[in-house]
Amino acid sequence: NQLDGATLDRFSVIDWQIADELEHAMVQDLMYGELWLDVIRKTRKWVSEREMRAIISPRATQKGAIILELTHGDFESVFNACIKPQIPYDKIESTREFVKEKFNKAKTEVGIKQPAKKPRTARRKKTEEVVVPEVVSATEATGLFDLPF
């Protein structure tokens, strides 16, 4: 959304550069972290060269790397959650094509293939495994809300 002049007049705008080392540290232990970081950085450059009004923040890097783990590398999920909301509507398809090309190229270079579907877990390369709870159906969940009155 565009901010009007009266709103902008109330605040100081600071152009804050992205700290590359910090962004790398946020995703370095995630299976798809370095791959997604590379795609994000190329996407930022591409967006900037086209002078699009879009912010591809480190939040998109971190969230995207986690989503890729949870979805076992599903491009559409990560694009729709992390990139698409930031891009002007009329530029979404060209951006999707660019990001998908870079994503597939990075996967090929790293040698990641689409694994068989496994239980949804977020795995860290060197640390613990985080289990994501299964979705409970409405009929199963009704017992959770039985109250004694």
Side-chain angles (χ1 to χ4, degrees):
N1 293 342
Q2 296 283 345
L3 296 176
D4 65 2
T7 303
L8 287 173
D9 189 43
R10 291 180 175 88
F11 302 97
S12 296
V13 177
I14 300 172
D15 185 24
W16 198 281
Q17 299 300 315
I18 294 170
D20 291 335
E21 300 82 23
L22 178 60
E23 186 176 39
H24 180 261
M26 290 167 42
V27 297
Q28 69 184 359
D29 291 335
L30 295 169
M31 182 186 300
Y32 291 90
E34 307 231 357
L35 179 147
W36 185 242
L37 177 61
D38 182 54
V39 172
I40 284 287
R41 288 180 175 167
K42 288 175 181 171
T43 303
R44 271 193 203 118
K45 183 179 177 189
W46 188 82
V47 164
S48 176
E49 289 169 353
R50 281 147 188 79
E51 299 178 357
M52 287 186 207
R53 290 186 57 96
I55 297 173
I56 312 294
S57 73
R59 190 173 293 121
T61 309
Q62 185 178 38
K63 185 166 61 169
I66 292 168
I67 289 170
L68 285 170
E69 288 204 25
L70 293 174
T71 63
H72 304 288
D74 181 58
F75 172 78
E76 289 302 320
S77 297
V78 75
F79 180 83
N80 289 334
C82 299
I83 306 291
K84 184 178 176 181
Q86 308 305 323
I87 302 298
Y89 182 77
D90 62 330
K91 306 280 193 246
I92 290 174
E93 284 311 309
S94 61
T95 304
R96 179 189 310 278
E97 289 173 20
F98 174 83
V99 176
K100 189 168 191 170
E101 175 189 329
K102 298 303 174 194
F103 178 76
N104 289 333
K105 183 177 181 185
K107 277 177 60 173
T108 302
E109 288 172 358
V110 174
I112 295 177
K113 295 180 181 166
Q114 188 73 13
K117 292 288 182 184
K118 297 179 182 176
R120 294 177 154 249
T121 58
R123 295 174 310 283
R124 302 217 179 247
K125 285 182 189 172
K126 304 170 192 156
T127 59
E128 78 284 356
E129 184 173 87
V130 179
V131 178
V132 179
E134 292 294 321
V135 177
V136 179
S137 71
T139 54
E140 292 173 302
T142 54
L144 298 174
F145 301 106
D146 288 341
L147 300 175
F149 52 85

